Amino acid sequence: MTTLTTGSEAWWQSKKGPEWVREKGNYRVTFWWRDPKGTQNTSTVKRVWLYITGITDHHQNARPQSLERIPDTDVWQWQGEFSPEWRGSYCFIPSDNEHDFADAVFEDAHPDRLALREGWRKLLPHAVSDPLNPQSWRGGRGHAVSALEMPDAPVQPGWDHPDTPYQPPVCIEWNSTRLDNRRRVWIFTTGDDSPERPLAILLDGQFWAESMPVWSALTSLTTGHKLPPAVYVLIDVIDIEHRSRELPCNPDFWLAVQEELFPLVKKHAPFSDRADRTVVAGQSFGGLSSLYAGLNWPQRFGCILSQSGSYWWPHRGAQQDGLLIEQLRTGEKTAHGLRIVLEAGRNEPLIFRANQAIYAELQHTQQPVIWRQVDGGHDALCWRGGLTQGLMILWQPLIHSRSLYGIQ
């Protein structure tokens, strides 16, 4: 067998993204990046920062990691250890500056969290996906990322059939009087038209419509009778400023959804008004918002899918609980009658602890709360599987409803 010279054209052609080998129950993964400007003699690149969600990202109180150049080549590499079930996204950030982070970030094993976040905040707009990896997309923060999935990563229902044909969604404009703004809303339907079809509201709708389209996954699960025929409403956040104002516990947003958006959607696709057939699904601020909607309007939103909910809000990093946790603890909110799926990643420490706290408070209510821990971080690559799995769990009683399939 011919050994290829590291950095040669033939060697690069053999690379298809990260490579891994099994070591003592885990996998040692090697990441590669090709310097387009060549070797250290011709390139100005000093660092290639590696941002792995849940491993080297800003949620971890750990030193930033950079790939290292193999001398006299255009090859940069980095190795790390991952569990067999690991799933997550990553990106590269090439830099001509050796000092992108404050010196304090490298002076201790646990760097200053604010300095660390500030360094990543400046770098991430310059991130690039892995050109060797065909599984790449634009993440929620606007930069390109790529997928890393270990051999034993859990199956993500529906996403394993990306070529399933589907009926394209309808995209409408919603001009809100109450919110005094305008945004896109996608309406996606599966199965035959029926006023009894359940409804799912997907927050951060622009992501699930454009960056990581959910259409084939939902269609595949519906044709396989793992999801009932349904109406899906994907709501655009407009921008980061509107997202930060409307999603965290904002009553006007949810009143506008009920009073303005629902009648608008019904002109295009009939759906059931029953709370036990209505799912609100969201991630991060959207996860917080989904439970907030259920706690405040349980007569309309009866099924809650909260992924990596930001239950620390509004006290980021403070030694006190978030608003919903406090209100549940003092009895100002009740989750009686709701069906709730909570999910968080073990590699998103602050959010994981906040979700454990909200789960503990919800345990005092009378209905079951399903708690799912994910071997991953604050990551849409993990959320996509939890989204379809959560819909299956929450709509399980409907899947066996013969009338939803038009069978008498």
Side-chain angles (χ1 to χ4, degrees):
M1 181 176 179
T2 303
T3 301
L4 300 176
T5 301
T6 301
S8 68
E9 189 62 34
W11 184 87
W12 275 116
Q13 290 297 321
S14 72
K15 302 301 177 186
K16 306 301 179 185
E19 299 173 324
W20 53 81
V21 294
R22 192 74 181 251
E23 281 189 3
K24 298 178 181 178
N26 288 325
Y27 285 91
R28 177 156 291 278
V29 180
T30 303
F31 294 79
W32 308 102
W33 185 76
R34 187 177 192 177
D35 192 333
K37 298 179 182 178
T39 71
Q40 72 272 13
N41 297 322
T42 57
S43 175
T44 58
V45 174
K46 298 295 191 298
R47 297 279 192 180
V48 181
W49 301 108
L50 178 59
Y51 190 85
I52 309 174
T53 306
I55 300 293
T56 67
D57 64 356
H58 69 278
H59 290 278
Q60 316 308 309
N61 194 19
R63 292 180 179 180
Q65 297 293 308
S66 170
L67 284 72
E68 294 184 359
R69 183 191 291 277
I70 298 178
D72 301 319
T73 75
D74 60 359
V75 180
W76 291 72
Q77 70 168 5
W78 183 90
Q79 290 188 338
E81 188 174 279
F82 294 80
S83 73
E85 297 81 23
W86 169 261
R87 173 182 279 117
S89 61
Y90 67 96
C91 58
F92 300 127
I93 312 175
S95 174
D96 296 344
N97 186 358
E98 290 186 353
H99 305 288
D100 291 307
F101 293 89
D103 292 341
V105 169
F106 298 97
E107 291 174 355
D108 191 78
H110 300 289
D112 179 81
R113 188 179 294 274
L114 291 178
L116 188 64
R117 290 180 65 89
E118 179 61 18
W120 283 124
R121 186 188 67 80
K122 292 179 179 179
L123 284 169
L124 281 174
H126 307 288
V128 296
S129 60
D130 185 348
L132 303 175
N133 189 338
Q135 292 191 68
S136 300
W137 67 96
R138 190 158 295 279
R141 294 180 178 271
H143 61 270
V145 294
S146 301
L148 175 63
E149 299 178 278
M150 292 293 95
D152 296 337
V155 173
Q156 296 187 309
W159 295 96
D160 51 349
H161 293 89
D163 299 324
T164 301
Y166 58 85
Q167 191 69 29
V170 174
C171 185
I172 65 172
E173 289 278 332
W174 172 26
N175 295 286
S176 173
T177 301
R178 178 181 284 274
L179 300 174
D180 191 26
N181 56 37
R182 176 178 182 174
R183 78 187 76 212
R184 298 171 298 169
V185 174
W186 290 265
I187 305 170
F188 183 63
T189 60
T190 56
D192 297 329
D193 289 347
S194 167
E196 295 306 311
R197 277 186 300 187
L199 171 70
I201 301 161
L202 306 191
L203 301 175
D204 282 299
Q206 77 292 337
F207 180 82
W208 300 111
E210 297 177 335
S211 296
M212 192 174 283
V214 72
W215 323 124
S216 288
L218 296 176
T219 302
S220 170
L221 293 173
T222 305
T223 56
H225 290 189
K226 294 182 179 179
L227 283 177
V231 175
Y232 299 88
V233 175
L234 286 68
I235 305 176
D236 192 350
V237 296
I238 304 178
D239 54 33
I240 294 297
E241 181 183 350
H242 283 85
R243 185 179 190 269
S244 299
R245 182 169 66 249
E246 293 182 343
L247 292 190
C249 304
N250 186 325
D252 281 332
F253 175 78
W254 286 108
L255 288 171
V257 166
Q258 296 173 79
E259 297 168 357
E260 301 175 3
L261 181 58
F262 282 177
L264 192 61
V265 172
K266 280 200 171 183
K267 293 179 180 179
H268 297 270
F271 56 84
S272 174
D273 290 328
R274 287 175 49 173
D276 62 347
R277 293 187 175 182
T278 303
V279 173
V280 183
Q283 301 78 35
S284 197
F285 269 163
L288 169 71
S289 189
S290 63
L291 183 56
Y292 174 79
L295 292 175
N296 284 274
W297 296 275
Q299 74 283 359
R300 188 62 194 88
F301 307 114
C303 301
I304 306 304
L305 173 53
S306 172
Q307 298 177 271
S308 300
S310 299
Y311 295 114
W312 50 263
W313 185 87
H315 310 302
R316 181 189 288 276
Q319 297 300 313
Q320 59 189 118
D321 292 325
L323 179 65
L324 278 191
I325 298 174
E326 294 170 353
Q327 292 180 332
L328 282 169
R329 186 166 295 154
T330 58
E332 294 179 33
K333 301 287 183 186
T334 175
H336 178 66
L338 297 177
R339 302 184 66 224
I340 301 171
V341 174
L342 285 180
E343 176 183 286
R346 288 191 288 269
N347 290 59
E348 43 181 349
L350 173 63
I351 282 179
F352 189 77
R353 291 192 296 271
N355 273 263
Q356 287 181 311
I358 204 85
Y359 175 60
E361 294 304 320
L362 289 171
Q363 287 289 82
H364 299 308
T365 64
Q366 296 182 32
Q367 85 297 318
V369 180
I370 296 173
W371 165 241
R372 302 179 73 238
Q373 301 181 26
V374 178
D375 189 2
H378 202 71
D379 199 329
L381 188 62
C382 297
W383 294 335
R384 70 177 192 178
L387 174 63
T388 50
Q389 185 70 53
L391 289 169
M392 290 165 58
I393 292 170
L394 291 169
W395 278 341
Q396 188 174 23
L398 298 182
I399 295 171
H400 304 291
S401 174
R402 297 168 64 87
S403 62
L404 282 176
Y405 294 106
I407 302 172
Q408 302 301 322

